[in-house]
């Protein structure tokens, strides 16, 4: 039976086309039913145009329903103000559907701050969780992803927050990423127990004594990519700086490699011969492959994608939301926190 997933139809920078096309792709590839939320007078014509496109001939009509919402929150809106003022926003209507049980997950490529604030308000928090954490997938040299959290939901954290993040990350990695016993590390400036700031010093013994996870100690930034750790925990300030640096570095490497391969006739021939390898390299660094960042700790499934998400990213965001819902991660998190 299809899983019902809500998509904020007005979230991305180029909405609604990526959301509409991504919804169609998701329905083609996965067992989902998509509810596109936003102004019907905008979404319905966009959906009709997409379905008339030559790329879809001879295929059954996807299970996509338009759910009307008269407003949407833009990237330029101030999150707190927009959440209060726009009571019929596509985010609020969509997350309300998750709360009421008419859908099992929600995806948006919209304003991250507004998505987090709306999710906290509409869904509430899991038992035992004080603050939600935004998690993101990081590619590694081993081919298996690692999970970094928090990457921006909480600038200031206390040790208990980081312990909760560790439990939530462990459960997501085990149940969605299918890592049997995730290795959890505390992101710091050195592997030694004595390294770090006051927050990491105070958090370290709490994680060491936590039997619910496999805590491997402090990890450094390079360990996010070398396969040493499966889940890296930090406060949102450190995590956001780290992930933005990763994104910039990945773009730089891709650009420099492309320019190098085109710089001479010899390298152009080499580029043609190595096109498949180069495409595989780009795919490993492509954010659209991972769909979006799960907001862990809220009482429901909320996935937040890039504002620049294309149809592939939207499709994978819908997939991640469905996998999150099927794995019942939230019930595992609550159970683990009860037994701390």
């Amino acid at each position: 039976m299809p899983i019902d997933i809500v998509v904020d139809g007005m979230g991305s920078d180029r909405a609604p086309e990526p959301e509409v096309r991504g919804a169609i792709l998701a329905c083609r590839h996965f067992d989902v039913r998509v509810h596109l939320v936003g102004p019907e007078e905008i979404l319905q014509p966009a959906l009709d145009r997409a379905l008339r496109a030559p790329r879809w001939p001879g295929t059954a009509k996807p299970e996509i329903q338009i759910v009307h919402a008269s407003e949407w929150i833009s990237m330029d809106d101030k999150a707190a103000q927009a959440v209060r003022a726009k009571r019929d926003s596509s985010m609020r209507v969509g997350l309300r559907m998750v709360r009421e049980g008419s859908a099992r997950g929600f995806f948006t490529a919209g304003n991250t701050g507004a998505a987090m604030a709306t999710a906290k308000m509409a869904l509430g928090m899991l038992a035992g969780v004080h603050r939600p954490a935004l998690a993101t997938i990081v590619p590694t040299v081993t081919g298996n992803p690692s999970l970094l959290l928090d990457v921006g939901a909480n600038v200031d954290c206390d040790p208990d927050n980081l312990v909760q993040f560790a439990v939530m990350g462990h459960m997501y990695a085990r149940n969605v990423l299918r890592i049997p016993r995730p290795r959890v590390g505390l992101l710091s400036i050195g592997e030694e127990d004595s390294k770090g700031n006051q927050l990491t010093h105070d958090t370290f013994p709490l994680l060491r004594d936590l039997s619910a996870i496999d805590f491997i100690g402090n990890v450094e930034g390079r360990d996010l990519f070398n396969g040493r750790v499966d889940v890296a925990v930090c406060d949102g300030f450190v995590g956001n700086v780290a992930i933005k640096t990763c994104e910039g570095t990945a773009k730089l490497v891709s650009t420099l490699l492309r320019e190098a391969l085109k710089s001479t006739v010899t390298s152009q021939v080499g580029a043609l011969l190595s096109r498949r390898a180069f495409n595989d390299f780009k795919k490993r660094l492509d954010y659209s492959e991972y769909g979006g960042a799960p907001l862990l700790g809220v009482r429901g499934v909320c996935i937040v994608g890039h504002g620049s998400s294309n149809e592939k990213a939207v499709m994978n965001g819908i997939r991640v939301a469905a996998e999150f819902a099927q794995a019942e991660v939230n019930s595992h998190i609550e159970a683990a926190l009860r037994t701390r």
Side-chain angles (χ1 to χ4, degrees), residues 155-172:
V155 174
D156 297 307
C157 295
D158 62 32
D160 201 47
N161 295 145
L162 295 193
V163 170
Q164 292 167 20
F165 297 169
V167 172
M168 293 192 292
H170 165 88
M171 288 301 174
Y172 188 85

Side-chain angles (χ1 to χ4, degrees), residues 149-191:
L149 72 163
D150 176 31
V151 293
N154 310 277
V155 174
D156 297 307
C157 295
D158 62 32
D160 201 47
N161 295 145
L162 295 193
V163 170
Q164 292 167 20
F165 297 169
V167 172
M168 293 192 292
H170 165 88
M171 288 301 174
Y172 188 85
R174 194 180 75 178
N175 292 285
V176 177
L177 301 182
R178 305 297 182 186
I179 303 171
R181 188 164 176 80
R183 297 159 297 171
V184 180
L186 180 62
L187 190 59
S188 187
I189 59 171
E191 297 179 5

Side-chain angles (χ1 to χ4, degrees), residues 73-153:
I73 298 175
S74 74
M75 295 294 184
D76 297 326
D77 285 331
K78 292 184 178 179
Q81 182 179 341
V83 169
R84 290 193 300 268
K86 297 184 176 182
R87 296 179 177 272
D88 197 42
S89 70
S90 50
M91 282 187 189
R92 194 159 181 171
V93 171
L95 285 163
R96 191 185 304 138
M97 292 176 66
V98 175
R99 182 190 67 199
E100 295 171 350
S102 55
R104 296 186 62 189
F106 174 80
F107 170 82
T108 181
N111 186 309
T112 300
M116 292 188 295
T118 306
K120 287 172 66 177
M121 178 185 63
L123 302 177
M125 302 299 297
L126 294 175
V129 177
H130 301 148
R131 295 184 182 182
L134 198 61
T136 193
I137 300 294
V138 178
T140 73
V141 296
T142 65
N144 299 315
S146 64
L147 189 71
L148 174 66
L149 72 163
D150 176 31
V151 293

Side-chain angles (χ1 to χ4, degrees), residues 225 245-261 278 281-282 285:
F225 310 100
T245 303
C246 294
E247 291 171 357
T249 303
K251 187 173 182 179
L252 172 65
V253 171
S254 294
T255 301
L256 293 179
L257 182 57
R258 186 185 300 110
E259 290 176 353
L261 290 173
F278 181 64
F281 167 78
K282 285 177 61 180
L285 297 180

